[in-house]
Amino acid sequence: MARLLIITTLLIMVSCASPKKKEEVFSPDKMLDLSVAKTKRTLKGLTDSNSFLRNIPKGEVAWEMVGVRDWCSGFWPGVLWYSYEYSGDEKLKMEAEKFTDPIKTIAFTPAENHDIGFMVYCSYGNAYRLTGKQEYKDVLLSAADTLATLYNPVVGSILSWPIKREQYAHNTIIDNMMNLELLFWAAKNGGDKRLYDIALSHANVTMNYIVRNDDALYHLGEFNDKTGEFIKGHTHQGYADESMWARGQTWGIYGFALAYRETGKHEFIETSMRLADHFLKRMPEDGIPFWDFDDPEIPNAPKDASAAAIAACGMLELADLIKDKELKEKYVDAAYDFVKILSSDEYFSGDVNQALLLHSTGHYPMNSEIDVPIIYADYYYMEALLRLKKLEANHPELVKNK
Ligand code: GLY
């Protein structure tokens, strides 16, 4: 009896001495609620649907806007379509339609670069997916034809950055892998079947020349435009040619997973997994990549939250495509890790500014957009949350890491 009394007293003392904060369980719905509420607040201050959110400069609270030809123009309407998809709120749908509309000019005017895919697929692609409207489909089909005009059959890949802007005669960048989805989609939705061949060839060239033996990537492959000969790999937006630029690695993870989904070619999913495993192996302890894994300033180098958000989407796509249960769980776990950390006070902006996520890095070598909110981080973060929500509903058996 005395012993029981002592134990009970001790338990009471311990519980009084350390009043534990109840650990909150991560929930995609909760973060989607917060994200949609914030998106609605941001909308209140916007009057011009020809301007698109791009970044929030250091120390400021409001988004800087860009025009329709900026490579990021499609992400804001994309955020609005994701907000509508989650909430079903018709007012958000109207806003999404409003900001999507001006982007159609990209589809019907000569191609400036491969970014057509980001601009049109994130806006019109989501618009068509969620509404099925013919007018959206027409814009997508035209955008795919416009993108295909950049294809060089001798090299077998798209000219990502037209020559006017870059010194390399023919260049193909890793980011361009993401924009093959538009071509694959068009080829099976009434567009020219040649678009499939172009996308397949582009993915092969990227895999053969831009993926390195160390399981990282060059940002850009330089080719002779007349002979197709590979000249050199460059890492334009990274620390050095042979370094590992974080966001480039994630465009590769996600892009090759999509190429596998559309073609069934095993070498693409193997490439995506190689890139993903290497990315995870080199991840710093706090779980969010530095902008470049080889910046000598690490651990004082800036982070790139956008790369973590894109990685989460790419790994969830991978998990969807892989048959093996253990591998599925590995990539689902990794995606949860990224999204949970991005949802913490360190990365989720709360009331700090108008964005959803803090700490992304756009173009460090150009001293541009360093450690700031950038719209594509918000876009892929919302996509990852929606993917996790669907996963929890359809495959609860894979969710071990909530
Ligand atoms: N696509 C350009 C970038 O990732 O910065």
Side-chain angles (χ1 to χ4, degrees), residues 71 175 237 245 247 251 376:
W71 84 272
D175 326 25
Q237 269 173 254
W245 173 44
R247 194 166 54 262
W251 292 138
Y376 45 83

Side-chain angles (χ1 to χ4, degrees), residues 170-379:
H170 183 92
N171 61 75
T172 287
I173 67 170
I174 190 60
D175 326 25
N176 200 152
M177 280 300 296
M178 293 297 292
N179 298 325
L180 304 183
E181 197 177 9
L182 173 65
L183 302 182
F184 284 127
W185 175 88
K188 59 183 185 196
N189 282 279
D192 191 337
K193 296 281 176 276
R194 195 180 65 99
L195 297 170
Y196 175 95
D197 302 331
I198 290 177
L200 173 61
S201 172
H202 182 101
N204 275 321
V205 168
T206 306
M207 182 177 69
N208 293 338
Y209 296 104
I210 294 183
V211 178
R212 303 194 312 235
N213 289 337
D214 64 354
D215 298 339
L217 294 156
Y218 291 119
H219 179 196
L220 180 152
E222 178 186 358
F223 299 85
N224 181 315
D225 62 330
K226 308 280 185 315
T227 64
E229 181 204 353
F230 175 72
I231 299 170
K232 188 177 170 354
H234 303 260
T235 301
H236 198 79
Q237 269 173 254
Y239 171 73
D241 286 344
E242 303 297 324
S243 71
M244 183 164 140
W245 173 44
R247 194 166 54 262
Q249 191 80 8
T250 63
W251 292 138
I253 295 166
Y254 197 176
F256 279 107
L258 293 172
Y260 170 72
R261 187 188 76 195
E262 297 301 326
T263 63
K265 303 236 176 273
H266 271 274
E267 53 272 34
F268 293 149
I269 198 161
E270 279 152 20
T271 301
S272 175
M273 287 195 291
R274 263 175 70 195
L275 299 173
D277 292 348
H278 192 59
F279 187 73
L280 293 174
K281 195 169 101 198
R282 296 198 64 191
M283 196 55 53
E285 214 169 297
D286 67 357
I288 300 293
F290 293 100
W291 76 281
D292 188 297
F293 286 73
D294 297 296
D295 181 345
E297 294 298 320
I298 288 173
N300 299 317
K303 293 283 187 167
D304 185 11
S306 77
I310 299 161
C313 295
M315 290 188 196
L316 290 170
E317 182 67 41
L318 262 181
D320 222 28
L321 299 167
I322 294 167
K323 302 253 174 335
D324 182 88
K325 186 161 178 284
E326 260 178 48
L327 282 177
K328 269 183 189 292
E329 282 174 1
K330 174 169 103 174
Y331 294 118
V332 167
D333 276 3
Y336 263 102
D337 281 340
F338 286 127
V339 179
K340 277 175 14 184
I341 301 167
L342 293 176
S343 304
S344 70
D345 291 347
E346 181 75 22
Y347 285 91
F348 194 77
S349 103
D351 292 329
V352 175
N353 56 42
Q354 286 187 324
L356 303 182
L357 293 185
L358 305 167
H359 307 308
S360 290
T361 295
H363 198 325
Y364 188 93
M366 293 274 276
N367 199 21
S368 166
E369 300 181 313
I370 298 175
D371 191 18
V372 293
I374 309 180
I375 190 65
Y376 45 83
D378 287 10
Y379 175 84

